[in-house]
Amino acid sequence: MKIQQRPYSATSFQALQAQGLPEILARLLAARQVSVDDWGLQEMPHLLKPQALTGCSEMARLLADAIQQHKKLLVIGDYDADGATATSVAMRGLSMMGAQVDFLVPNRFEYGYGLTPEIVALAAQQQPDVIVTVDNGIASIDGVSAAKALGMQVLITDHHLPAEQTPAADCIVNPNQHGCDFPSKHLAGVGVMFYVLIALRAELKQRGLLAEDAVHLGSLLDLVALGTVADLVKLDANNRILVRQGLKRIRQGQACPGILAILKLAGRNAVQVTAQDLGFYVGPRLNAAGRLDDMTIGIRCLLATTPQEAMVYAQQLHVLNAERKQIEAEMQWDAMADLAQDFQASQYTISVFQPDWHQGVIGILASRIKERFHRPVIAFADAGDGMIKGSGRSIAGLHLRDALDLVTKLQPDLILKFGGHAMAAGLSIRAHDFARFQQTFEQVVQQLIDAEVLQQVLETDGALPVQEMTLHNAEMLGHQVWGQGFPPPVFYDDFEVIQQRILGEKHLKLRLQKQGAQFEAIYFQHAMLLPEKVTLAYALQINEFNGARNLQLQVVHADIS
């Protein structure tokens, strides 16, 4: 692994310090290209305007017409955390503004992803006048045609990358659609739906159908923050506003009962909640419903109106997440055992398949393998009828969806369907084509990237002076918004190991010393003792135990070469 320090502009650093920011925070922000102007634009009035999002105003007019004409709306969601939060935001927001609205989310195992003709047939049983997709639809050419043939109006809100041909929907809102100049291309599905609601509220006010202060969409920002963080979209300046405001609501006790119930079961304090809590504790529990059962459970949790109702659903999610962890551990053991024999350092990609793997967990498996080997990974599971479904995760430098697109150009009959982003994608192939896919994917990636891309790089924020290694700074940094594309601080220092012991055969508990000061530390998923003198990459963390809060260093890498 190559270790490199993030450079930062001395000018930006000094300007941020001049605004009264602590030295450590000013340095970290400057290293992430945050200017003084950026730092001053973190409140909701500075959010990019809906009018800049292609189709947003038009969709607002169509939805306002539907509300005025008492049409029945049906939200078609997706079975991940972004889809669940987007569905919940659509349900709550549209209901606030007088819409007759219900939702339907495809079961991963029965219907697969998106607005398929089969889902349209199921939706038709509810006799909706208007279908509104959230976090899906941009690839649903056949599904939209089927809905239109039945006389339904179709409004698509999505953020996935479009193919050359897009559906003939009545309106599409997607920052990544062709011809859209919206400055932020990284809105999650929940963010797109939130923007549509902002535009709809303005349209209804203009028509005289809403009083000026009748609908407070800020009450949905906890859900917007959760979906944005959980979907691992880049936290650009616009997304950081959404997440920051959502976290503020949760800390103030103004979150929906569902989020509060999940946080409680996960042992997280809502008053001190961080973006990492949403990503590592709430998101996985919500995702567990879509991975193992039915995301309707997760959506019902987020739509619950009382703590008691929310807790019933949250407990189901908690149990499903524990089951998911067990399944994942077994699959990971299988995959790592195979790769220990088969993986060659010269290969650019990893494609794995076992017929008994769980279709809902292959995305997590791909992530774990990618973390271990630093290669683009696609993990497949049996999908029945001679088909297998794959879930892929990429590394920096390879746009995964573009790579799959090139595979289809080289072998047009190989991939039956695919979609996704730069860093994650899904696809379906025939089981007997697995070896051919494996070879073609490897061939394509070798054409697209240089060998240097395969070297894992850990970017750090350099050494941290002892006087800055404090509980106060850990708390201050924890309250900032960090995440995808805006990485949390990682420091790099020399330490002496004073004490160390292995916990539960999986983790390493440490007492470290630096320049005479001692620190407690934890190294997760590392069960080997370290030398007495070692260079570590670490984060400042708060360890809460028996009501006490203490500084703890979380080690992320030990340089023992």
Side-chain angles (χ1 to χ4, degrees):
M1 179 182 288
K2 180 181 179 182
I3 309 293
Q4 63 184 35
Q5 183 174 342
R6 292 186 187 92
Y8 65 88
S9 161
T11 303
S12 294
F13 166 61
Q14 292 163 4
L16 287 162
Q17 260 200 302
Q19 296 296 310
L21 269 66
E23 180 179 337
I24 181 174
L25 183 57
R27 187 169 69 248
L28 294 170
L29 293 175
R32 287 154 182 79
Q33 287 79 54
V34 174
S35 67
V36 170
D37 289 342
D38 294 333
W39 184 250
L41 303 177
Q42 297 187 85
E43 302 302 320
M44 286 301 288
H46 301 294
L47 199 68
L48 293 171
K49 303 308 177 194
Q51 294 84 351
L53 186 56
T54 299
C56 201
S57 297
E58 173 62 18
M59 189 172 289
R61 287 190 288 271
L62 293 172
L63 286 170
D65 291 343
I67 291 171
Q68 275 192 285
Q69 296 163 19
H70 305 290
K71 290 183 176 180
K72 184 176 180 181
L73 278 61
L74 184 65
V75 176
I76 306 290
D78 184 22
Y79 41 65
D80 66 359
D82 186 20
T85 53
T87 301
S88 303
V89 163
M91 286 291 296
R92 288 173 56 184
L94 290 169
S95 297
M96 285 181 201
M97 290 182 266
Q100 298 178 39
V101 60
D102 204 346
F103 77 91
L104 176 65
V105 60
N107 183 293
R108 178 194 295 264
F109 310 104
E110 292 181 47
Y111 295 99
Y113 169 77
L115 185 67
T116 60
E118 294 78 14
I119 279 294
V120 170
L122 186 63
Q125 297 175 16
Q126 299 188 38
Q127 299 182 318
D129 300 299
V130 182
I131 282 178
V132 181
T133 72
V134 293
D135 193 32
N136 74 94
I138 197 64
S140 301
I141 294 170
D142 294 340
V144 170
S145 296
K148 298 285 285 180
L150 293 173
M152 301 176 202
Q153 193 175 45
V154 182
L155 310 180
I156 291 175
T157 73
D158 201 352
H159 69 126
H160 294 91
L161 297 171
E164 292 180 14
Q165 182 184 359
T166 53
D170 292 272
C171 188
I172 298 176
V173 179
N174 180 340
N176 290 300
Q177 69 178 305
H178 309 303
C180 181
D181 296 326
F182 191 68
S184 172
K185 298 297 183 181
H186 304 288
L187 280 177
V190 67
V192 177
M193 188 63 224
F194 184 69
Y195 261 84
V196 170
L197 292 174
I198 295 173
L200 174 58
R201 181 179 60 181
E203 178 68 22
L204 290 173
K205 285 181 179 179
Q206 186 177 337
R207 296 187 186 193
L209 299 174
L210 272 185
E212 191 60 35
D213 57 351
V215 173
H216 180 48
L217 293 177
S219 64
L220 305 176
L221 283 167
D222 55 336
L223 293 168
V224 177
L226 171 57
T228 299
V229 171
D231 208 46
L232 298 178
V233 293
K234 182 179 179 180
L235 293 186
D236 60 14
N238 204 57
N239 277 337
R240 291 201 301 276
I241 293 174
L242 293 171
V243 173
R244 183 173 187 267
Q245 299 304 317
L247 288 171
K248 185 185 295 186
R249 288 193 63 83
I250 299 172
R251 291 168 186 154
Q252 292 172 345
Q254 297 176 323
C256 68
I259 288 179
L260 294 177
I262 297 172
L263 283 169
K264 184 175 182 179
L265 286 175
R268 311 312 292 175
N269 183 355
V271 176
Q272 302 287 342
V273 72
T274 67
Q276 284 70 32
D277 289 332
L278 298 184
F280 291 111
Y281 294 95
V282 183
R285 284 165 172 78
L286 193 55
N287 272 323
R291 294 188 185 282
L292 301 189
D293 197 325
D294 190 323
M295 187 47 94
T296 301
I297 300 169
I299 296 169
R300 293 290 181 206
C301 183
L302 298 179
L303 292 176
T305 56
T306 66
Q308 295 78 12
E309 180 189 7
M311 186 56 72
V312 170
Y313 290 114
Q315 286 172 336
Q316 293 180 52
L317 295 176
H318 195 68
V319 170
L320 285 169
N321 192 52
E323 184 182 346
R324 185 271 302 168
K325 287 181 179 178
Q326 180 61 38
I327 293 169
E328 177 199 333
E330 294 171 1
M331 289 169 55
Q332 191 173 333
W333 192 93
D334 290 343
M336 295 303 180
D338 287 347
L339 289 167
Q341 295 182 346
D342 301 336
F343 177 75
Q344 303 292 325
S346 60
Q347 70 190 71
Y348 280 50
T349 67
I350 295 174
S351 299
V352 289
F353 164 58
Q354 288 197 20
D356 60 343
W357 280 348
H358 195 292
Q359 195 184 126
V361 187
I362 51 175
I364 306 176
L365 177 63
S367 293
R368 299 288 184 259
I369 298 172
K370 183 203 77 170
E371 291 165 6
R372 169 67 179 81
F373 292 94
H374 194 65
R375 295 292 190 277
V377 177
I378 299 184
F380 288 88
D382 182 60
D385 298 325
M387 307 276 291
I388 57 176
K389 286 188 176 179
S391 186
R393 299 295 183 268
S394 194
I395 58 176
L398 177 74
H399 194 297
L400 188 54
R401 190 199 172 281
D402 286 355
L404 294 177
D405 191 43
L406 188 52
V407 169
T408 64
K409 287 179 168 60
L410 287 175
Q411 303 268 359
D413 64 331
L414 181 52
I415 298 179
L416 303 178
K417 58 181 179 180
F418 73 98
H421 303 291
M423 301 303 290
L427 69 156
S428 295
I429 65 173
R430 298 175 188 87
H432 64 74
D433 281 332
F434 173 70
R436 182 158 67 107
F437 173 83
Q438 205 172 20
Q439 294 165 3
T440 309
F441 184 50
E442 175 74 16
Q443 175 188 345
V444 162
V445 173
Q446 286 191 19
Q447 293 174 7
L448 291 175
I449 63 174
D450 297 325
E452 292 76 28
V453 175
L454 302 178
Q455 182 180 19
Q456 192 165 7
V457 176
L458 176 61
E459 285 194 314
T460 79
D461 294 288
L464 189 61
V466 167
Q467 62 270 23
E468 291 189 342
M469 299 173 70
T470 64
L471 176 63
H472 171 78
N473 278 343
E475 290 175 331
M476 182 265 295
L477 295 179
H479 271 68
Q480 305 305 315
V481 175
W482 313 102
Q484 191 75 13
F486 200 75
V490 172
F491 306 102
Y492 193 64
D493 274 309
D494 295 326
F495 291 93
E496 293 179 59
V497 178
I498 305 301
Q499 294 176 4
Q500 56 181 325
R501 59 190 172 91
I502 295 171
L503 299 178
E505 300 181 354
K506 291 198 302 184
H507 314 304
L508 189 61
K509 187 79 174 81
L510 300 146
R511 179 179 286 273
L512 303 171
Q513 182 168 285
K514 174 186 168 184
Q515 297 172 13
Q518 293 193 5
F519 304 92
E520 297 296 320
I522 186 77
Y523 194 173
F524 291 118
Q525 304 301 323
H526 185 93
M528 295 175 60
L529 298 178
L530 299 178
E532 289 184 13
K533 293 189 177 183
V534 64
T535 304
L536 301 175
Y538 64 95
L540 298 183
Q541 188 188 61
I542 300 163
N543 183 30
E544 294 191 46
F545 186 70
N546 287 340
R549 292 165 60 83
N550 295 293
L551 174 68
Q552 179 175 259
L553 310 185
Q554 182 177 335
V555 178
V556 297
H557 175 72
D559 191 351
I560 53 178
S561 56

